[in-house]
Amino acid sequence: MNYIIHLNAFLERAAKEQWVVAYHYSLYMALFRIWNKTGFRKTFQIRKTDAMKAARISSKTTYYRCLKELEAAKLLIFYSSSSRFTPAEIEMIPLVNMQDYGTVHVPAGGPQKEENGTPTVPGEGPFLKQENTKYTNSVSKGPGLDDVLKLFLVHEYDTGLGLRFWYQFEATGWKIGNTPIANWQALAHKWMLNTTQPKQKTDNNNDQDYDQSF
C-alpha cells in the first residue's frame, strides 16, 4: 500500500463532493492513521472514544453520521460492535489499483536533500513503502490541504490539528500580519510545538512575607 497515492485519491475525490465537510476529512484521516499503524491490515479495530478524540469530534451523532456517509461513498466499511465490550472494526477500501504504479523504491540512507535544499520525506518508520514526496517551501497562494495533511501524516502529528492549521492560515491568505509566509513547513512545526506544549501555570507568589507588619 502506497499511502501517498491512496491519500491523493481520497483528497481528489473528496474535493469533488459537496457533502464533504471538515469532519469527514478529520475522521477519515484519523482512521487512515490508525490503518497505517496496523500495517494496512484488511480490517482493524477502533474504539469510538479514541477515534472521536483523534478526529476532534465531540458529538456522537456527528461521528456516526460521518461514518455512515463515508461508508455510503464506498470509502470504507464500518462493522459495528456486537457488544459494548467489543471494539468496532473498520475496513478501508483501496481507492486505486496499486499495480498500475509498479514497485516503489525508497533510497537508503535516511532523509535525502535536493541541491536547492528542498527536503524529501524520510524513508523510515511505517512509511517505507512510499514515494519520496517533495514539499515546496515558498508559498504564493498557500499550500493545498493535501500538502498540509501529508506533512502532518509523515511526522505523525494529529491530522485534526492539520485541518485546523490549514483553515487558520488559509483564512489569513497565508500571511502573518502583512508579511507573506515564506516557509509554511517550518511554520507548521513551530505551530505544533506551541499547540501541544503544556501551558505553564502562572505563579502568583510575590514572595511577600505576610507575617511582617506593614
Side-chain angles (χ1 to χ4, degrees):
M1 166 58 66
N2 185 297
Y3 89 98
I4 290 293
I5 296 174
H6 180 100
L7 183 58
N8 281 336
F10 164 71
L11 293 172
E12 289 175 5
R13 179 181 296 188
K16 299 176 182 177
E17 301 291 345
Q18 294 186 353
W19 58 268
V20 175
V21 297
Y23 287 125
H24 296 99
Y25 280 103
S26 181
L27 180 57
Y28 189 89
M29 298 303 293
L31 295 175
F32 186 89
R33 185 179 182 186
I34 298 172
W35 188 33
N36 174 72
K37 288 186 174 182
T38 65
F40 298 110
R41 295 177 182 173
K42 181 176 176 61
T43 60
F44 58 91
Q45 294 182 339
I46 61 164
R47 294 191 180 276
K48 176 183 60 182
T49 53
D50 295 337
M52 291 177 61
K53 181 178 180 181
R56 294 295 193 272
I57 296 176
S58 57
S59 169
K60 295 179 182 178
T61 302
T62 300
Y63 170 73
Y64 284 114
R65 175 175 58 81
C66 289
L67 267 180
K68 291 179 180 179
E69 290 173 346
L70 290 172
E71 184 175 33
K74 300 186 186 307
L75 295 170
L76 55 81
I77 301 175
F78 174 65
Y79 299 99
S80 59
S81 173
S82 58
S83 71
R84 63 191 182 112
F85 301 105
T86 305
E89 292 190 345
I90 291 289
E91 178 180 345
M92 304 291 281
I93 299 177
L95 302 181
V96 290
N97 184 0
M98 302 309 299
Q99 293 180 352
D100 295 341
Y101 296 88
T103 304
V104 178
H105 299 280
V106 177
Q112 305 294 319
K113 287 191 176 181
E114 301 291 337
E115 294 181 357
N116 61 3
T118 302
T120 57
V121 177
E124 59 185 10
F127 301 102
L128 285 175
K129 298 180 180 179
Q130 68 183 37
E131 292 177 333
N132 284 336
T133 301
K134 300 175 183 178
Y135 298 102
T136 303
N137 286 333
S138 61
V139 174
S140 54
K141 297 182 180 179
L145 178 59
D146 56 342
D147 291 324
V148 171
L149 292 179
K150 287 176 191 175
L151 177 70
F152 274 65
L153 270 175
V154 166
H155 292 279
E156 298 191 356
Y157 294 153
D158 190 322
T159 49
L161 293 177
L163 282 169
R164 187 192 303 176
F165 171 81
W166 186 82
Y167 281 115
Q168 175 180 330
F169 289 99
E170 181 74 7
T172 65
W174 293 94
K175 293 181 179 180
I176 298 179
N178 294 323
T179 305
I181 296 171
N183 189 325
W184 69 267
Q185 291 174 266
L187 177 64
H189 292 304
K190 181 179 179 181
W191 188 87
M192 280 299 300
L193 286 174
N194 293 336
T195 302
T196 56
Q197 66 181 1
K199 295 182 179 180
Q200 296 181 353
K201 294 183 179 179
T202 303
D203 188 0
N204 294 324
N205 183 10
N206 57 6
D207 296 327
Q208 174 68 46
D209 186 357
Y210 291 100
D211 291 334
Q212 299 295 327
S213 62
F214 291 100

